[in-house]
Every structure is written in structure tokens, then in C-alpha cells.
Amino acid sequence: RLLSRIHNPDKGSDPKVFHNINLAYRDLLDDVSRTNWEEYGHPNGLQTQILAFALSNWLLHPEGDKTTKIVQMTFIIIYMCHSNIHDLIYV
């Protein structure tokens, strides 16, 4: 309640901050929202996230020698980028 008085838009504060303070105050008064906040960190309960990405058809269904070579070269490049073996070349 004190923060809502301090950050009141009528006193020159940002309306977004005031809105967020009011939402938090309302959620903390509700028993279900408060329990969800304490357990899951969000007043609406458990929040799920989905990570999805697409792969090229030639990676999903490799055919022939050309695809194998491309995949092998990709792994070699990734290995070289993440290792210190390229430092040995210049020594």
C-alpha cells in the first residue's frame, strides 16, 4: 500500500509501475494466487515453456555420401571452434 502511494501517477510517477504494484497487491491478497507465487514464482501457477525448432529434411532423412560429408564437416567445425586445437597450429 505504501508503494502505491509513492508511485501514484497523480504524483508524477510512471503509470506502468503503479499498475504492476496494484497487480502484485491484488495477487498477494488472494490465497490461491499467493500460494501459486510461493510455489511456482507466478500468481497464475506453473508456467510452461515450449522450445521448438525445425531441421532440414536432409538432416532428418540423410541420403548418399554428400549428406554424410556435410554432417561430418559441421561436427569438425564445431569441434574446432570449441577447442584449443587451432592454437597449436600457430605455435
Side-chain angles (χ1 to χ4, degrees):
R1 297 175 89 189
L2 176 64
L3 286 176
S4 66
R5 282 189 229 136
I6 293 171
H7 294 285
N8 193 321
D10 294 336
K11 295 183 179 181
S13 183
D14 187 15
K16 291 180 184 179
V17 174
F18 182 73
H19 177 71
N20 288 337
I21 291 170
N22 283 332
L23 287 177
Y25 182 71
R26 185 188 66 204
D27 288 335
L28 291 176
L29 286 179
D30 183 27
D31 291 335
V32 175
S33 294
R34 186 178 184 96
T35 304
N36 285 337
W37 178 261
E38 290 170 355
E39 288 184 26
Y40 305 112
H42 196 277
N44 293 335
L46 182 62
Q47 302 292 306
T48 59
Q49 296 179 352
I50 297 174
L51 175 64
F53 56 94
L55 294 175
S56 297
N57 192 33
W58 62 270
L59 282 173
L60 294 174
H61 308 287
E63 295 176 2
D65 192 44
K66 183 177 182 181
T67 303
T68 306
K69 295 292 183 193
I70 291 173
V71 172
Q72 288 174 348
M73 290 301 297
T74 303
F75 284 120
I76 290 171
I77 291 170
I78 291 171
Y79 174 77
M80 293 288 289
C81 290
H82 292 289
S83 68
N84 292 331
I85 197 165
H86 62 277
D87 292 337
L88 298 175
I89 297 172
Y90 298 110
V91 173

